[in-house]
Amino acid sequence: MRSIYCGQIREAHVGHSVQLVGWVNRRRDLGGVIFVQLRDREGLVQVVFDPDLQEVFDKANSLRAEFCVQIEGVVRARPESQVNADMATGAVEVLGKQLTIINKALPLPIALDDHQKNSEEARLKYRYLDLRRPEMTERLIFRAKVTGFVRRYLEAQGFLDIETPILTKATPEGARDYLVPSRTHKGKFFALPQSPQLFKQLLMVAGMDRYYQIVKCFRDEDLRADRQPEFTQIDIETSFLTAPEVRAITEGLVTELFEEMLGVKFDAFPTMTYLEAMTRFGSDKPDLRNPLEIVDVADLLAHVEFKVFNGPANDPKGRVAVIKVPGGASLSRKQLDDYQAFAGVYGAKGLPWLKVNDLSKGVEGLQSPILKFLDDQAIQGLLARLEVADGDLLLFGSDSYKVCTDALGALRLKLGEDLGFTRTEEWAPLWVVDFPMFEEDEGRLYALHHPFTAPLNASPEQLTADPLSTISNAYDMVLNGVELGGGSVRIHDNAMQQAVFKLLGISSEEAEEKFGFLLEALQYGAPVHAGLAFGLDRLVMLMTGASSIRDVMAFPKTTTAACPLTEAPSFANPQALEELSLAVKKTDA
């Protein structure tokens, strides 16, 4: 039915007969000649119907938007005055000779033109129509090319594409698992995997020393623009490679991918420790396109008679730090109040500020409601350390280390976006390394990455003696403030794995119940192994400039994890529930 895609016709095809299939993008009747824009996945081409072929002309006159049609015709050059430089096929058109209406279309429930303002709910309900929009079609084609490139690259590096189970056992974060009841094992449940982590480690024990998989994963948690209940990972695991060697392979993958797909050439990725990232940028995934930095000043303010500063400055768990905003002295009081409210979302109790209006006037050239609490020593120390200039603004954070860091880190990003500091046209990749093994919350330890991450140069005894000071052998790839992928060297020793479980409050009995198969496997010559998993959806979102991963997925869910198209989730068939020995508990909600 088709000899060529619409969007592939060029001047070289002039004089050729072609068969086209696709959808009517637009129909216009101009002075007795009908022009139809025909669209398929590769793009648009203009088809002209002349009244000389009356039967075909009459049929063309009946066409409406989104009719599915087949057209046979001859390619010809457009008159020079009618060339459309905005279309890839703008130098040619097709003179329609035959027209077959494959299927008519009802009036559309959503708009498909360039100026559509459909609600997201409507776009997802009629996703099969929304995906016809060239912008959406191009993103799915781009995604397919990305996965194709990834497969070719990894297979050239000796990696094997191996599938792992979808029906598996609940993870330590069991509350976030999607559970699947078993009909043949009454009262028992499978879980959908949050990642193939344990299976890919077992593949390393099995000797499959270079594994990869482009795999669906599932997580039942609150959603954001870059989160979905089901998402796709580029999952990679290796044996007998060090962390730097794994980083080199995966950095090569991303570097070659960007050059192939976008023509972007990266230099070697810089490496930054977790401590440096949190200290300078207030984030473990810093956006290096933004030049604003957080500067510690607790030592300069520990002596001042102002509890807002001297309290945290003299508290080992406190932090006092500043962001210098070049030109920020022009911000209004309302703008400053708005930024204070923004910082308050992250727990900050205030956002003290100081404007540098005219350095030549000394203290008289400064403006701040807190100026009266600062002595000359503190003021001169601040001005020198921040290297201020006329017109600068200083914004202070002063609280517990976490609140101060989180608030200033988020504020840094907002200021960069609002005031135009962030260089949106650039790419800024980096590796973040040397993460803490654990973080503490209300006296309990949690793994910063996951409980199968190995410590960096620590024995089980050393780890147990001082877990909060232990550094993990983990690494994250970050691009423009987005975590593209996270990985680590894994624990390959049974004693170390049991020590980590114990520190996380997982008893020997619980560890045996949930991870007995892994603990046993580690006793049969388990090799040193390491890996990394990329978020494919995030990667494609960044590369295409989409604002949400939903715009690079064919059939995503809403922010409430629902599917308007199929109306899932739905109530189960009572007979199915009976076979599964399940009953649904009714709630008031």
Side-chain angles (χ1 to χ4, degrees), residues 167 179-185 187-191 576-577 580 582:
L167 295 176
L179 298 179
V180 180
S182 170
R183 181 181 60 83
T184 53
H185 300 274
K188 294 185 177 181
F189 294 82
F190 294 103
L577 290 175
L580 293 167
L582 293 177

Side-chain angles (χ1 to χ4, degrees), residues 58 88 99 125 175 287 298 362 425 438 469 543:
D58 291 344
L99 170 62
K125 180 175 177 60
D287 187 346
E425 74 285 355
F438 304 103
S469 298
M543 295 182 76

Side-chain angles (χ1 to χ4, degrees), residues 201-233:
Q201 289 190 241
L202 294 177
L203 285 171
M204 297 303 102
V205 178
M208 306 293 110
D209 61 338
R210 292 197 178 198
Y211 142 97
Y212 88 95
Q213 188 180 185
I214 298 178
V215 59
K216 277 284 189 183
C217 301
F218 307 85
R219 191 169 297 164
D220 187 8
E221 63 180 3
D222 294 336
L223 306 182
R224 298 196 298 267
D226 60 348
R227 292 283 173 88
Q228 280 280 296
E230 53 180 313
F231 54 96
T232 305
Q233 283 187 183

Side-chain angles (χ1 to χ4, degrees), residues 181-382:
S182 170
R183 181 181 60 83
T184 53
H185 300 274
K186 304 293 187 185
K188 294 185 177 181
F189 294 82
F190 294 103
L192 302 182
Q194 294 188 35
S195 88
Q197 181 63 44
L198 299 183
F199 286 105
K200 66 182 180 181
Q201 289 190 241
L202 294 177
L203 285 171
M204 297 303 102
V205 178
M208 306 293 110
D209 61 338
R210 292 197 178 198
Y211 142 97
Y212 88 95
Q213 188 180 185
I214 298 178
V215 59
K216 277 284 189 183
C217 301
F218 307 85
R219 191 169 297 164
D220 187 8
E221 63 180 3
D222 294 336
L223 306 182
R224 298 196 298 267
D226 60 348
R227 292 283 173 88
Q228 280 280 296
E230 53 180 313
F231 54 96
T232 305
Q233 283 187 183
I234 303 170
D235 207 50
I236 297 169
E237 197 76 8
T238 69
S239 296
F240 309 115
L241 293 183
T242 63
E245 289 171 326
V246 172
R247 293 201 296 270
I249 289 174
T250 51
E251 181 177 321
L253 168 60
V254 171
T255 297
E256 293 188 25
L257 174 66
F258 270 73
E259 185 169 2
E260 171 77 15
M261 300 296 296
L262 299 179
V264 173
K265 293 186 178 182
F266 290 142
D267 294 328
F269 292 9
T271 300
M272 181 180 297
T273 67
Y274 171 87
L275 179 60
E276 181 183 357
M278 297 301 292
T279 300
R280 292 173 59 192
F281 306 109
S283 171
D284 60 0
K285 46 181 184 295
D287 187 346
L288 298 187
R289 298 172 303 162
N290 181 342
L292 300 180
E293 293 197 21
I294 301 169
V295 178
D296 283 299
V297 293
D299 59 313
L300 301 176
L301 301 175
H303 69 280
V304 300
E305 296 182 6
F306 185 39
K307 287 185 178 180
V308 170
F309 286 157
N310 66 30
N314 289 288
D315 184 346
K317 295 184 178 181
R319 186 180 189 189
V320 184
V322 178
I323 296 177
K324 180 182 74 173
V325 185
S330 62
L331 293 178
S332 68
R333 185 57 185 264
K334 181 184 183 307
Q335 287 174 301
L336 292 173
D337 288 345
D338 288 343
Y339 284 125
Q340 177 173 314
F342 176 83
V345 173
Y346 296 86
K349 302 177 185 66
L351 188 67
W353 54 268
L354 186 153
K355 291 183 177 183
V356 182
N357 295 323
D358 188 345
L359 280 174
S360 67
K361 295 182 179 178
V363 177
E364 297 299 319
L366 306 179
Q367 178 186 352
S368 172
I370 62 167
L371 202 56
K372 59 188 176 183
F373 299 111
L374 305 179
D375 58 26
D376 188 63
Q377 177 186 350
I379 291 171
Q380 295 307 317
L382 288 169

